[in-house]
Amino acid sequence: MKEEKEYLSHVESVLDDEIEQAKQGVKVQQQSYDKLQKDFSYFFYDSDSIEISKYKTALSEIQYQISFLNDKQEKLARQKNRPYFARIDFKENGAKSAQKYYIGFSHIVDGKNSLVFDWRAPISSLYYDYDAGEAEYEAPDGKVTGEITLKRQFGISNGHLDYYVDTDQNINDEILQQVLSKNASTKMKEIVASIQKEQNAIIREERYKTILVQGVAGSGKTSIALHRAGWLLYKRRGELTSNDILILSPSNLFSSYVSDVLPELGEDNVIETTFSHIAKTELKKPLITREQLVDEIYKCKDQEKLNEIAYKSSFEFLNDLLKFLDEVYAKLFAPTDLVFKPKDASENSYNAFIFTKEELNQLYYGAFGKLPVNKRIDYMVDYLAERFGLKPSDTEAIKPRFKKILYNFFPISDIFKICNVFYARMGLKQPSFKEVPYEDIAPLLVIKNYTQGLKNEYTAKYVIIDEMQDFSPAHFYFFNSIWDCPKIVLGDINQCIEKTLSKKYLLDLARFLKAKTIVLNKTYRSTRQISEFSEKMIGLKNVVNFSREGSEPKIIKTTSTEHALLKLLKENEGKFGHTAIVCKNGAEVAEVSKMLHNKVKFEVVLGSDLTFDYPLVVTTASTAKGIEFDHVIVPFADAENYHSPLDRNLLYVATTRALHQLEFVYEGKKSKFLKRHDYAKNDK
């Protein structure tokens, strides 16, 4: 212990020196800024525009340096609280002795000596991938083989060494138990000290352009994606910045939940957006949310409507839509001769520009005939503008006019009308589109991108798409068309709550994305009892549960749901940091809210609210998907309310939100999906 405490003290002193250097750097830069600003003010009226511009540029550069040094201080101070979390002693083949390698959030160097190695460095993969004994890692110069002679894990908090554990395992179960046993947080945390071997393989994957991760609930999918972003920023530093990586989040609420992870890893947050934000920007109409769609599905008695929604979520629908655009709509282009001439010139004068119908047809159907309509029109506009021989500024000014003229050669160009023509051909109902139904948003974006192009450019060098089961093939076609770059796509087909997805769908999606599929079947979130309960509910097999023990889920029969909920909340008062009453839909949320009103303090969280940061929330499974709570209560768990395959999926999502304790409350007859025996007596 003495040796390790001395090492920690040395590392902290090096960090203290760096922090002090950064502070002095800020002081020097601030003095330079103040002097330059004073000079600027003094000479302002005697300076010309070039000199003023130079002053402003110099001031801006100094401000950047001050900001950089302040950020560096913050990162170093955070690093000092916990400089490292592990040590491995590795003896390379042929070496006389083993070398010590301490592993932390980023490199710490004392002169030329590396005191701590970044968790993303090649040598650090030994910690995640191997037990003590023979091991190897891929260094920049090639494969390095040898033997791990010691693996040590540290508990360091606020710069103090609390304990260390020597282990033969890659990650000691005792350490992982401590991590997983903590109460839920409203912010997802970094997991660098407890990354598992199968998770590490995905984080560091380099062979495949696109990765599709199918992971059971609690397998760490979102954490993997965020840590992969951190690894990419380390691996490709200089060619990739945080502004080049984009996360397509399910909601603003989810974005808030994951917002602390990358800063904890010492990286800036990457760009985040939601599908809803893109759709609002491009369609300029009110949108029906996915939560509203889910509510509609679970209330709907119209099987034809349900069949229509299922069809729009299929590869068959996407293929039909693309075929319609290529073979029907694209062939509606019917031009006439275009004549451009000065007012005082005759049609056949030397100054007249004539583009014949035949010439336009040849361009559209011949030269550019294999492109989407919007690209054909764009290239034709460039061609026509070039023929005029104008100055570049005049050419750009005339292009919008050409584009408008060319689109007038289609009988329709409004994307909403085009969509309804397609729907009519397929025998589908035609929406008024005063509000855009959720299931029609992706098809409309595909149509707009194909026919007219999008309003905005969507650029990224790497894209993370989470909750892949929430998106249809039309969504993924659209994503591929706007982001032609490597991606990681993550989700769980068992958590799809508006349709039933099969393993065949997963294979079809992987084929469509040209992705390598990786399956995660080990879950870490819930206690063993909750995990086994949820797995039996949907018939999941071959799932490996991390052995964290807890109480059995309780299935409570009652004659008063209100009384049962209040009793459970009273019994567990102060026991958990975050409790959620997870309902089936918005109507149930309203009913529970009425029951609890003026009796307990709670918050309703629906849709894309910004936080779950309340001790007690009432929400839906659709909203809570991807989030976790210490304690979950599912009300109205009766046979009538939860009976269909989709109901089972929704119940599974609600169940897998629970970390430590889970209860179901029902009146009458319990749902057939709650196969465990009642764990509490009837609550009168």
Side-chain angles (χ1 to χ4, degrees):
M1 179 64 85
K2 181 183 177 183
E3 179 188 348
E4 292 294 3
K5 283 186 175 181
E6 288 175 351
Y7 193 84
L8 176 60
S9 179
H10 177 54
V11 172
E12 288 174 343
S13 69
V14 170
L15 290 172
D16 282 335
D17 289 344
E18 289 194 43
I19 291 170
E20 184 58 32
Q21 287 175 23
K23 282 182 181 178
Q24 292 303 316
V26 169
K27 187 176 179 180
V28 170
Q29 292 292 337
Q30 189 63 54
Q31 289 171 346
S32 298
Y33 183 87
D34 293 342
K35 183 179 184 305
L36 188 60
Q37 193 174 45
K38 185 178 180 181
D39 292 345
F40 180 43
S41 300
Y42 186 80
F43 294 110
F44 179 79
Y45 293 105
D46 297 326
S47 303
D48 58 25
S49 59
I50 295 175
E51 289 173 323
I52 290 172
S53 177
K54 286 180 178 178
Y55 270 118
K56 287 182 176 179
T57 299
L59 286 169
S60 178
E61 288 176 353
I62 294 173
Q63 281 182 315
Y64 173 80
Q65 287 298 323
I66 291 172
S67 176
F68 171 79
L69 289 169
N70 281 327
D71 286 346
K72 184 177 181 180
Q73 282 185 73
E74 288 182 18
K75 289 178 181 178
L76 288 168
R78 190 161 53 233
Q79 196 173 3
K80 186 184 172 185
N81 286 334
R82 192 179 169 210
Y84 49 85
F85 51 83
R87 166 186 157 186
I88 53 171
D89 292 4
F90 181 67
K91 182 177 179 294
E92 290 185 26
N93 288 341
K96 292 182 179 179
S97 61
Q99 294 291 319
K100 300 175 185 177
Y101 298 94
Y102 287 81
I103 300 169
F105 292 98
S106 59
H107 277 107
I108 301 174
V109 180
D110 182 13
K112 294 183 179 180
N113 299 319
S114 293
L115 300 179
V116 177
F117 287 82
D118 194 295
W119 67 277
R120 298 164 289 188
I123 185 72
S124 302
S125 65
L126 292 172
Y127 167 70
Y128 299 110
D129 291 344
Y130 290 97
D131 300 337
E134 291 184 3
E136 62 183 32
Y137 70 96
E138 199 67 42
D141 295 333
K143 189 175 291 185
V144 179
T145 59
E147 179 189 3
I148 296 174
T149 59
L150 174 73
K151 293 196 70 172
R152 180 168 287 174
Q153 293 169 254
F154 299 95
I156 299 174
S157 57
N158 298 320
H160 178 73
L161 178 58
D162 300 319
Y163 63 86
Y164 67 78
V165 177
D166 289 345
T167 175
D168 291 337
Q169 302 169 2
N170 58 320
I171 305 294
N172 185 274
D173 275 1
E174 292 178 22
I175 303 291
L176 193 51
Q177 285 276 12
Q178 290 183 29
V179 172
L180 298 176
S181 296
K182 292 178 180 178
N183 279 346
S185 169
T186 55
K187 298 285 189 179
M188 180 178 281
K189 301 297 184 184
E190 53 76 22
I191 59 167
V192 290
S194 57
I195 292 170
Q196 301 297 290
K197 183 175 181 178
E198 73 275 11
Q199 296 170 334
N200 188 53
I202 299 172
I203 290 169
R204 297 172 187 261
E205 175 58 59
E206 293 190 79
R207 294 166 296 173
Y208 303 98
K209 178 179 177 181
T210 297
I211 307 168
L212 175 63
V213 180
Q214 158 60 33
V216 296
S219 54
K221 298 180 292 296
T222 304
S223 286
I224 290 169
L226 293 168
H227 285 72
R228 178 163 176 77
W231 179 81
L232 287 168
L233 290 169
Y234 171 88
K235 179 76 175 178
R236 301 180 189 173
R237 200 170 297 281
E239 61 176 289
L240 197 68
T241 71
S242 58
N243 289 329
D244 296 320
I245 299 179
L246 181 139
I247 298 178
L248 187 71
S249 296
S251 67
N252 293 329
L253 188 153
F254 185 83
S255 298
S256 173
Y257 178 60
V258 303
S259 62
D260 282 358
V261 175
L262 283 168
E264 285 181 348
L265 298 177
E267 300 290 352
D268 294 331
N269 263 324
V270 298
I271 304 299
E272 290 189 50
T273 191
T274 62
F275 175 67
S276 174
H277 176 74
I278 295 172
K280 286 175 183 175
T281 302
E282 296 296 338
L283 300 181
K284 300 293 184 186
K285 285 203 174 190
L287 308 178
I288 294 175
T289 66
R290 186 170 175 278
E291 286 78 14
Q292 289 172 299
L293 170 67
V294 171
D295 274 8
E296 181 183 358
I297 288 172
Y298 282 91
K299 289 186 292 185
C300 185
K301 305 298 181 185
D302 182 355
Q303 190 58 45
E304 185 179 349
K305 172 69 174 174
L306 294 175
N307 291 342
E308 194 171 288
I309 292 172
Y311 168 59
K312 290 177 181 177
S313 298
S314 68
F315 278 103
E316 180 187 2
F317 171 82
L318 174 62
N319 292 334
D320 289 341
L321 175 58
L322 296 178
K323 187 176 181 181
F324 165 79
L325 292 172
D326 281 334
E327 299 181 10
V328 179
Y329 181 77
K331 294 180 180 178
L332 296 177
F333 183 73
T336 58
D337 292 347
L338 284 179
V339 179
F340 299 91
K341 63 180 187 305
K343 291 181 180 179
D344 58 349
S346 66
E347 186 171 313
N348 295 318
S349 72
Y350 178 78
N351 291 324
F353 285 89
I354 301 174
F355 303 102
T356 65
K357 176 176 73 173
E358 289 75 20
E359 185 178 6
L360 294 172
N361 273 328
Q362 197 283 323
L363 289 171
Y364 180 86
Y365 290 106
F368 309 130
K370 293 184 178 180
L371 299 173
V373 165
N374 83 86
K375 293 294 184 185
R376 299 190 211 188
I377 298 298
D378 283 346
Y379 285 134
M380 290 176 71
V381 165
D382 290 342
Y383 173 82
L384 297 179
E386 190 176 327
R387 282 275 300 274
F388 269 76
L390 301 172
K391 294 186 299 183
S393 58
D394 293 335
T395 300
E396 290 305 312
I398 204 171
K399 282 183 178 182
R401 184 183 172 195
F402 280 148
K403 182 172 282 194
K404 185 175 180 180
I405 291 170
L406 292 176
Y407 273 114
N408 283 337
F409 291 138
F410 290 93
I412 52 171
S413 57
D414 180 272
I415 62 169
F416 300 98
K417 291 179 180 177
I418 295 169
C419 187
N420 273 337
V421 168
F422 168 63
Y423 285 174
R425 289 174 64 92
M426 304 308 297
L428 302 174
K429 292 178 182 176
Q430 300 166 53
S432 66
F433 289 124
K434 289 180 181 177
E435 284 186 313
V436 182
Y438 182 82
E439 65 271 24
D440 297 317
I441 296 174
L444 283 166
L445 290 173
V446 170
I447 291 169
K448 183 178 184 186
N449 195 29
Y450 182 93
T451 61
Q452 300 174 9
L454 303 175
K455 177 184 177 182
N456 293 335
E457 276 192 45
Y458 299 92
T459 57
K461 293 182 180 178
Y462 196 87
V463 173
I464 297 168
I465 302 176
D466 206 357
E467 303 291 355
M468 59 92 171
Q469 70 278 0
D470 292 355
F471 299 118
S472 69
H475 284 95
F476 283 109
Y477 179 86
F478 177 70
F479 299 153
N480 274 352
S481 66
I482 63 174
W483 294 308
D484 183 21
C485 63
K487 302 176 184 70
I488 183 168
V489 179
L490 312 98
D492 179 12
I493 57 174
N494 301 301
Q495 294 185 62
C496 184
I497 55 182
E498 73 269 20
K499 54 188 178 289
T500 301
L501 298 179
S502 64
K503 290 182 179 179
K504 180 182 181 304
Y505 173 82
L506 200 63
L507 292 171
D508 290 341
L509 181 60
R511 195 176 300 114
F512 178 77
L513 295 173
K514 298 178 181 177
K516 167 67 175 176
T517 302
I518 300 175
V519 177
L520 297 174
N521 63 358
K522 188 170 183 178
T523 179
Y524 301 93
R525 175 186 293 141
S526 307
T527 62
R528 178 183 61 79
Q529 289 78 5
I530 293 173
S531 295
E532 289 179 353
F533 184 95
S534 62
E535 289 149 19
K536 288 182 179 179
M537 181 184 294
I538 61 170
L540 270 184
K541 297 179 180 178
N542 302 318
V543 177
V544 179
N545 296 302
F546 183 75
S547 297
R548 182 168 65 84
E549 297 299 317
S551 59
E552 291 284 350
K554 296 180 181 180
I555 305 168
I556 302 169
K557 181 178 175 67
T558 183
T559 56
S560 169
T561 298
E562 177 182 337
H563 182 71
L565 291 176
L566 290 170
K567 183 177 179 183
L568 284 172
L569 294 173
K570 180 68 175 175
E571 288 173 352
N572 292 286
E573 189 174 4
K575 186 177 178 182
F576 299 110
H578 296 92
T579 294
I581 299 176
V582 182
C583 301
K584 184 176 181 180
N585 51 39
E588 285 189 8
V589 168
E591 192 173 348
V592 169
S593 298
K594 189 175 179 180
M595 292 175 181
L596 303 183
H597 184 62
N598 288 334
K599 298 181 180 73
V600 293
K601 188 175 180 181
F602 68 96
E603 295 289 337
V604 171
V605 180
L606 284 175
S608 57
D609 293 67
L610 292 178
T611 183
F612 271 115
D613 194 9
Y614 309 105
L616 174 62
V617 299
V618 181
T619 187
T620 62
S622 178
T623 301
K625 190 149 54 64
I627 315 295
E628 55 191 32
F629 306 93
D630 302 311
H631 177 205
V632 168
I633 304 170
V634 182
F636 313 112
D638 57 85
E640 185 177 349
N641 200 27
Y642 289 98
H643 64 276
S644 71
L646 289 181
D647 292 333
R648 180 186 60 189
N649 286 8
L650 201 68
L651 201 59
Y652 174 72
V653 170
T655 301
T656 54
R657 299 310 93 207
L659 285 173
H660 310 303
Q661 188 163 313
L662 173 66
E663 288 130 356
F664 301 88
V665 173
Y666 73 97
E667 297 180 29
K669 186 178 179 181
K670 72 179 177 182
S671 168
K672 62 184 178 182
F673 304 125
L674 304 180
K675 294 179 181 178
R676 288 285 182 91
H677 58 279
D678 289 359
Y679 230 78
K681 294 187 177 181
N682 292 0
D683 186 84
K684 302 296 184 185

